[in-house]
Amino acid sequence: MDAKDILGLPKTPLPIAQEKKSRPHKDSQRKPDGISREVYALTGGVAPLMPSIDVSQLKRRPPSDEKITWQWLPFTSSARKDNLQLYHWVRVVNGVPPTGDYSFAKYNKSVDVIRYTDEEYAKYLTDPKWTKEETDQLFDLCERFDLRFIIIADRFPTPRTVEELKDRYYSASRAILVARAPSPGEVASHPLVKEPYNVTQEIERKRALSMVLSQTKHQERKDAEVLAEAKRIAESRMAARAAEEPDLPVPPDIGPESAERAIGPGDTISPSNVQVHAAAAAPSTSVIADNSSTLASLRMLKVYLRTYALEQMVQAASSSAGLRTIKRVEQTLQDLGINLKPKVPTKAVCAEHLELRKEILTLLNLQKQLQYKEAEGSSFRDGSYGDMPGTAKRSQRAVDQDRTFVPDTISFGGDRGVKREQKRKGPGRASETPSSPAGAHKRPRKMKASDL
Amino acid sequence: MPHPASEAQVEDGGSASKPQRIIKLGKTTEDGDKKGTNKRVKDIELCIPIVYGTIAFYLGRKASESQSHKWTVYVRGATNEDLGAVIKHVVFQLHPSFNNPTRVVESPPFELSECGWGEFEIGISLFFHSDVCDKKLDLFHFLKLYPEDESGPQSTKKPVVMESYNEIVFPDPSECFFARVQNHPAVLVPRLPSGFTLPAPAPVENMNGKGRGDTKDHPLNHWFMNFSEADELLKLASARQQVQAHIVKLRRELSVIDGMPQPLKPASSYECT
């Protein structure tokens, strides 16, 4: 107390008392049975989701009718060839020690290294690059170290690479196997014979691996870019091949496996060429290209359904149109009383349907053009009134009008047109709000039939 | 049409007295019967109009919880002709709650009847004869048991019929297939270009060995729907006319606007922004 005064620490006995009160409360709720509180707290104080140890089992004692003692006894292991006498603690039940081999003896596995006789060496295994002595040493080490070639290479008296050692070992073993076999067929399934060791390939593979491992982040990124580029080229090459238009150039043949960095700039130029060319082509020719490429791809199929063919052709024809336009086409079809998918899709019906869709697209495009021209025209006329930003924004808005434009101007009969006009709450018309500056119009103008 | 160079052309002068053994890419002919399958008929597409669907009858008094309806799923020629010359067998894939949900129908008429209570999508796979096509064609049809208007109790006499029309197109038929079916009533052969020499027509054989496979006298045939392309063609033609008329009008208006003299652009309006 006095110390606290001296130090100037606040005297706050209260919060501590509170903690003491709440903690026992908490603990009495959650103290588990079977294990002490501290041990339980090791797990974070919360019961595990899946109890790995049945807590009630922990305090269980072994069956009391058995007498268990632990004794320090000698043992033998079949894995040891020497007579070394080792001792360990053994659980003895009712005075009977356990029987059987040492439990870890079964893990003492080793490789069957083929040993040749001197005769066999002379007959099959002579090699200009290897002396008999070296080969003998190699085989000894292989047996001793269970074909762990890294260690063998380390221990080998003369300097040899791992690949050389492997090559010598595997080719020698193979030769011996084949020589000893009564007929070639019998050993053909032996792994040594089936898959011979290929030195050059191994050297190459390891080199490539180390290259990949030692790549810097920068190099990795560049590799990814090159591969993506190659993929894009391959894809555009396929698309260009499918199209029958002669004026679409086919990009040069570039394999995706090429890891050379030199490709970089060359790659980027060719796909953009293809794209630019395609974009520059007039909409009608690109539609024709799409159509004929669809036709070609359909002909490639062995069999297809008429409805499938129609879907493909419709997709091709609308490929230049956005989702909004496609929705408008479908709306127009419905207004005209035509099913989006024909009920009787014969060849003739599908052809007519396709043509109708294309014509509707043309119609919508023309409407857009007309709108745009009108807006332009009106903005010119009103230009002298409004401020400059206002006019510029106006012509921009004319393009934006596209967004909510609904073909109310075309009444195809039927109830829908009338109802829709009544439902829509469009903003004011042009005659009511001439040339007001931008900002006042949040939503674009809706065109009425009388506007045209 | 892009053909690999090694494919054969239709031989002029018709008769196949000494047919060339042309190897199609990736396929080798083993026995003489398959010779015809490798030669294709160029630029002719064969079309098989089919109708597939379901007819479901409410069982009324005989209905139980698990079997309230008896229904039949089928694939038939659109004019009820025998499809056996083209289709070898059909596999209907039913809901897994059925025993052996994969049902194979080996011969025409290609149909399957079952009892049940639930509506589900049935997978229909068409397998063709070897000289026709080695790829199967998949269709899907939703089994409808309950009528659209829920007014009143279901009748056991009037079934719920759902049929879809479609056409199977073979863009590149083999000569053998073509010869076999060029006069078959189930197959639509287009008008042949002039100068085209037909291979000798083979007699129309019953490929499936059993009795007739057409559905002209099918017990359910008075429920079959009629699919006439004339109606649709008419509607489409009238729609196209309307659209074309509007296009003409718009084009006229556009040209009027384009022809209009441009008002003098106030020089200032383009110098800002």
Side-chain angles (χ1 to χ4, degrees), chain A residues 154-415:
Chain A
D154 268 352
R155 301 255 168 161
F156 208 71
T158 49
R160 291 272 190 181
T161 66
V162 172
E163 288 84 28
E164 281 177 28
L165 294 172
K166 280 191 182 178
D167 186 31
R168 180 61 177 151
Y169 171 75
Y170 287 122
S171 52
S173 305
R174 195 158 183 271
I176 295 288
L177 259 182
V178 169
R180 286 187 190 167
S183 78
E186 287 190 9
V187 277
S189 56
H190 188 98
L192 269 178
V193 175
K194 243 196 332 182
E195 279 140 52
Y197 182 72
N198 186 338
V199 189
T200 45
Q201 190 189 59
E202 281 295 296
I203 295 177
E204 194 48 46
R205 179 181 70 88
K206 289 187 182 170
R207 191 183 68 81
L209 266 180
S210 68
M211 249 178 56
V212 171
L213 187 60
S214 54
Q215 265 187 348
T216 61
K217 267 253 176 327
H218 177 66
Q219 281 175 337
E220 264 179 42
R221 253 183 284 127
K222 277 189 64 189
D223 265 345
E225 276 173 37
V226 169
L227 280 173
E229 201 63 57
K231 195 166 146 204
R232 248 182 286 148
I233 294 170
E235 278 170 18
S236 66
R237 195 196 340 148
M238 303 272 250
R241 204 193 293 152
E244 292 192 308
E245 284 287 83
D247 54 342
L248 276 175
V250 179
D253 206 308
I254 295 177
E257 302 90 37
S258 55
E260 278 95 85
R261 312 291 157 92
I263 300 177
D267 275 5
T268 43
I269 294 177
S270 46
S272 55
N273 265 349
V274 175
Q275 288 160 8
V276 162
H277 192 103
S284 55
T285 50
S286 71
V287 166
I288 295 173
D290 284 334
N291 266 353
S292 55
S293 74
T294 324
L295 275 174
S297 68
L298 281 173
R299 275 202 219 103
M300 284 293 137
L301 297 172
K302 298 269 190 74
V303 61
Y304 57 86
L305 284 171
R306 187 72 69 195
T307 46
Y308 172 77
L310 180 62
E311 275 167 38
Q312 296 294 100
M313 303 287 279
V314 165
Q315 235 181 31
S318 353
S319 58
S320 53
L323 192 58
R324 264 179 255 134
T325 323
I326 297 177
K327 286 261 176 325
R328 279 156 55 192
V329 169
E330 296 185 347
Q331 185 60 60
T332 318
L333 278 172
Q334 283 177 337
D335 292 342
L336 286 160
I338 304 286
N339 296 314
L340 292 181
K341 293 196 178 175
K343 282 266 180 287
V344 190
T346 63
K347 189 166 178 159
V349 165
C350 289
E352 284 288 301
H353 188 99
L354 188 64
E355 291 308 305
L356 178 61
R357 276 190 187 243
K358 288 198 233 173
E359 280 165 8
I360 295 177
L361 263 177
T362 316
L363 179 65
L364 295 176
N365 281 334
L366 281 177
Q367 279 176 347
K368 225 197 297 196
Q369 274 185 41
L370 191 60
Q371 255 184 287
Y372 186 67
K373 288 256 155 79
E374 290 233 323
E376 250 186 22
S378 63
S379 77
F380 289 157
R381 268 179 266 125
D382 303 333
S384 47
Y385 297 131
D387 6 292
M388 280 83 81
T391 26
K393 280 209 185 130
R394 216 152 206 248
S395 49
Q396 232 182 14
R397 234 183 302 122
V399 177
D400 289 342
Q401 280 180 32
D402 190 34
R403 198 174 304 152
T404 57
F405 180 78
V406 150
D408 283 353
T409 51
I410 304 168
S411 52
F412 288 119
D415 313 320

Side-chain angles (χ1 to χ4, degrees), chain A residues 244 296 298-308 332-333 336-339 341-353 355-356 359-360 362-364 366-367 369-370 373-374 376-377 379-381 383-384 388-389 391-393 395 409-413 452, chain B residues 1-3 24 27 40 43 45 47 50 52 128 132-139 164-172 227-229 232-233 235-237 239-244 246-251 253-254 257-258 260 262-266 268-270 272-273:
Chain A
E244 292 192 308
L298 281 173
R299 275 202 219 103
M300 284 293 137
L301 297 172
K302 298 269 190 74
V303 61
Y304 57 86
L305 284 171
R306 187 72 69 195
T307 46
Y308 172 77
T332 318
L333 278 172
L336 286 160
I338 304 286
N339 296 314
K341 293 196 178 175
K343 282 266 180 287
V344 190
T346 63
K347 189 166 178 159
V349 165
C350 289
E352 284 288 301
H353 188 99
E355 291 308 305
L356 178 61
E359 280 165 8
I360 295 177
T362 316
L363 179 65
L364 295 176
L366 281 177
Q367 279 176 347
Q369 274 185 41
L370 191 60
K373 288 256 155 79
E374 290 233 323
E376 250 186 22
S379 77
F380 289 157
R381 268 179 266 125
S384 47
M388 280 83 81
T391 26
K393 280 209 185 130
S395 49
T409 51
I410 304 168
S411 52
F412 288 119
L452 284 179
Chain B
M1 152 159 97
H3 267 305
K24 197 161 173 217
K27 253 209 281 197
R40 318 304 287 197
D43 291 336
E45 83 180 16
C47 162
I50 57 165
Y52 59 96
F128 305 101
V132 176
C133 180
D134 50 7
K135 281 204 171 42
K136 69 177 163 104
L137 192 59
D138 290 321
L139 306 165
S164 308
Y165 175 97
N166 216 319
E167 298 187 339
I168 309 177
V169 182
F170 297 99
D172 192 26
F227 292 92
S228 127
E229 62 169 353
E232 282 219 64
L233 281 176
K235 280 204 283 190
L236 282 170
R240 281 186 71 183
Q241 262 188 0
Q242 288 187 52
V243 172
Q244 281 162 7
H246 275 290
I247 289 180
V248 165
K249 194 170 85 150
L250 285 180
R251 287 222 162 103
E253 289 174 17
L254 267 174
I257 288 189
D258 280 342
M260 251 173 25
Q262 295 287 355
L264 275 173
K265 305 175 201 152
S268 48
S269 72
Y270 282 102
C272 65
T273 60

